[in-house]
Amino acid sequence: MSAAAFARDLLGWKRSPREDGKPKNKVGWEWVPNCADVDSKESISLAAGMLTSLGLKSPGRAQTPATAPPRNPGTALENRVQETLEAELPRLDGNRQWQVIRGALITRYAQYRHLTDLDDLIERYPNLRVTLGKDYLIKPDVTVGLLGTPTRDELPFLHAAVSCKWTIRSDRVQNIRHEFNQMARHRRGRQPHL
């Protein structure tokens, strides 16, 4: 199995947004790749080439594509990453008890348990929020925990955090970097794979 065997299931063509009865994208196509920035000719061209090389040809003038991609590929991507990790990790290392979760706060894991105490203090003393903020309460798209590892609080050990972004913009990349930097900075114990 390739690292992203499910990617082809999430990719496809979507009807272009319209304005004044015409397709609203930089190349004027009726159908655009669902992973392209429609305000960029280069993005549309590169994404179209990728889809074509995967055998997903443009519907052209057809009313609907042969196979429609999911309406919300970001959520579908998170689900498929979770499902793939749940299936593959025990196969790769069956001696560990893996726990793969979507949208779990990092405070569910041993290395970040202390942040719950910090959050309780901020709730009791709201003035601390101004100084400390709350950007330490991170909820990665997918977390991989290890059950049965000896930890002080009997919480699972966070093995990895996965960020799943369907499209990349500079603000999203900066958000990922910020979250992972916060996770590296606030951990107690071994750093998870980020």
Side-chain angles (χ1 to χ4, degrees):
M1 174 185 253
S2 68
F6 56 81
R8 193 173 188 276
D9 299 337
L10 304 179
L11 293 165
W13 297 88
K14 66 179 183 179
R15 188 172 291 284
S16 176
R18 299 185 76 75
E19 187 174 88
D20 299 326
K22 296 179 183 176
K24 184 184 173 195
N25 62 72
K26 288 292 184 178
V27 292
W29 294 352
E30 288 291 329
W31 296 90
V32 291
N34 72 333
C35 57
D37 175 356
V38 295
D39 292 322
S40 166
K41 287 180 182 179
E42 293 82 8
S43 177
I44 294 171
S45 177
L46 286 169
M50 179 182 67
L51 293 182
T52 300
S53 72
L54 289 170
L56 301 168
K57 296 188 188 314
S58 171
R61 297 187 186 275
Q63 293 298 313
T64 58
T67 57
R71 283 180 130 341
N72 185 349
T75 301
L77 175 62
E78 290 175 22
N79 288 331
R80 296 299 292 272
V81 166
Q82 178 188 6
E83 292 164 6
T84 300
L85 289 172
E86 284 174 334
E88 292 297 315
L89 288 172
R91 188 183 67 73
L92 295 171
D93 187 348
N95 295 324
R96 292 182 170 182
Q97 284 184 275
W98 300 102
Q99 177 191 57
V100 183
I101 301 174
R102 275 190 61 228
L105 277 171
I106 60 172
T107 53
R108 290 180 60 142
Y109 300 96
Q111 302 100 302
Y112 300 98
R113 167 66 181 89
H114 64 284
L115 296 177
T116 302
D117 298 334
L118 180 59
D119 197 45
D120 291 344
L121 282 171
I122 289 174
E123 289 302 317
R124 272 194 289 166
Y125 304 102
N127 289 341
L128 288 175
R129 184 187 306 254
V130 175
T131 305
L132 301 174
K134 286 191 81 154
D135 61 349
Y136 55 85
L137 289 178
I138 296 165
K139 191 187 285 188
D141 297 324
V142 179
T143 56
V144 178
L146 285 172
L147 301 171
T149 53
T151 61
R152 191 178 61 158
D153 297 321
E154 300 297 318
L155 291 173
F157 180 80
L158 182 61
H159 180 74
V162 182
S163 183
C164 302
K165 301 296 178 245
W166 182 249
T167 57
I168 297 294
R169 295 188 318 239
S170 61
D171 60 328
R172 290 184 182 155
V173 172
Q174 292 307 316
N175 185 48
I176 295 166
R177 289 181 58 183
H178 175 71
E179 284 185 356
F180 285 175
N181 284 337
Q182 290 292 80
M183 289 178 70
R185 189 172 108 202
H186 290 298
R187 78 184 189 287
R188 288 192 178 160
R190 200 176 110 209
Q191 178 166 310
H193 299 279
L194 303 172

